[in-house]
Amino acid sequence: MPRIKRGVTTRAKHKRLLDQAKGYRGRRKNTIRIARQAVEKAGQYAYRDRKVKKRNFRALWIQRINAAVRAEGLTYSQFMHGVKLAGIELDRKVMADLAMNEEAAFKAIIAQAKDALPA
């Protein structure tokens, strides 16, 4: 049976790994073993932070809605309860955008939510 030489595939794997580690500092960018660890850790952070990014944006939208609603004399929780009772099916992302850019439209939503709340 002939001997199998794997230098080409190993070099290709190493090259791909070092390309992923481009821009890192010190030996993390040019030493295979250390670069592999750095790239793996970077992948773990990227995976985790894709989830964290969603949390952070939702928190930001809630803060923006809360700020706009408090100017009208409601709290965020009262407003969201009123929105549910009024049957308004806008998500927080859209409402936060309306609160920032379309004040008149958002005030109309606040008025609907206030009317839907029980006295």
Side-chain angles (χ1 to χ4, degrees):
M1 182 157 315
R3 175 173 156 225
I4 297 170
K5 296 173 72 178
R6 296 200 315 240
V8 176
T9 54
T10 301
R11 191 171 298 112
K13 279 173 96 171
H14 288 179
K15 188 172 187 297
R16 187 167 58 244
L17 184 77
L18 291 176
D19 284 343
Q20 287 178 312
K22 196 177 196 100
Y24 292 2
R25 297 180 66 161
R27 290 194 308 163
R28 305 173 104 224
K29 73 174 173 286
N30 55 20
T31 306
I32 298 300
R33 187 179 296 177
I34 296 168
R36 180 178 292 123
Q37 293 171 358
V39 167
E40 275 183 23
K41 193 65 168 178
Q44 290 170 355
Y45 285 139
Y47 178 82
R48 179 197 69 191
D49 290 340
R50 280 194 293 273
K51 314 279 181 271
V52 172
K53 182 179 175 183
K54 292 167 182 62
R55 273 179 242 155
N56 288 341
F57 268 104
R58 184 181 169 96
L60 175 68
W61 299 331
I62 289 171
Q63 288 169 1
R64 286 178 174 175
I65 293 168
N66 191 20
V69 164
R70 281 184 186 272
E72 299 295 314
L74 281 177
T75 64
Y76 172 78
S77 62
Q78 291 169 339
F79 171 70
M80 290 310 287
H81 182 58
V83 165
K84 293 278 187 278
L85 293 176
I88 300 169
E89 293 188 11
L90 292 176
D91 61 2
R92 287 163 180 78
K93 179 180 179 180
V94 172
M95 281 198 273
D97 188 53
L98 286 174
M100 293 288 292
N101 301 319
E102 305 287 334
E103 289 179 34
F106 192 67
K107 284 185 179 178
I109 293 171
I110 293 173
Q112 280 183 315
K114 270 186 183 175
D115 293 340
L117 285 172

